[in-house]
Amino acid sequence: RARFCDAIAGQGQAPAPPASTTEALPLAVGDDPLAVLADLGRLEPCGFRNPRPRILVEGRVASAREVKNGHLKLELLLEDRRRLDCFAPRRGELAAGLRGPVRVIGDLRHNSFNGSVSAELLVEEVSEAARLPELHRDGGVALAPHSPPGAASA
């Protein structure tokens, strides 16, 4: 036990990463959010010196609404036709303006409701995404043209 304690003391303390430099990890096309959650569970316990990874998700807004107490409930359609629920506390005012492709960053967590378990992103940041593939009925994907905000469409 003494040798173990000496070895630990000899390591010193690792500096904590500054919060502003913690990069968001993208959810890749085809990744099952529940499987990603299981993988993230291997990084536990998370805390001050081991922060939970921030996840970046790009998708199309399937629905956005303000719910009780001014919170935002957002459903994204991902490129692989999966859907991901998102929740942003006290950001309900954004619901009316969220359309089309968006980029969302947050904490991927389990959500249990009525006996079913799903993945949900607790949103920290949400913004328009420049270009996302457009889904076609035949399953093909094509890049949708990007228009700057406020530009008229033909």
Side-chain angles (χ1 to χ4, degrees):
R1 169 131 169 88
R3 287 191 329 211
F4 174 75
C5 290
D6 289 342
I8 296 298
Q11 290 181 3
Q13 291 187 354
S20 62
T21 63
T22 305
E23 249 183 77
L25 304 172
L27 185 70
V29 174
D31 276 353
D32 177 5
L34 281 173
V36 171
L37 271 172
D39 291 341
L40 292 175
R42 297 179 187 151
L43 301 176
E44 295 286 346
C46 292
F48 177 70
R49 297 221 182 258
N50 185 29
R52 287 182 60 87
R54 296 172 49 194
I55 305 297
L56 180 144
V57 179
E58 290 185 337
R60 292 193 178 282
V61 175
S63 69
R65 67 191 198 308
E66 185 172 353
V67 295
K68 189 175 180 180
N69 296 324
H71 304 311
L72 173 66
K73 183 72 174 158
L74 180 64
E75 184 181 23
L76 296 182
L77 179 61
L78 307 179
E79 287 183 41
D80 60 3
R81 297 191 182 273
R82 292 181 195 262
R83 291 182 179 261
L84 179 65
D85 290 327
C86 303
F87 182 77
R90 297 173 303 281
R91 302 299 306 267
E93 77 281 358
L94 298 175
L98 287 175
R99 300 287 177 265
V102 294
R103 172 177 288 198
V104 182
I105 297 174
D107 185 11
L108 193 61
R109 297 191 173 239
H110 286 99
N111 182 31
S112 301
F113 183 73
N114 277 346
S116 72
V117 177
S118 62
E120 179 178 71
L121 193 74
L122 182 61
V123 176
E124 297 171 11
E125 303 172 29
V126 60
S127 60
E128 289 184 21
R131 287 173 60 148
L132 291 179
E134 190 171 292
L135 298 174
H136 295 284
R137 288 186 184 177
D138 64 1
V141 177
L143 285 178
H146 171 32
S147 301
S153 59

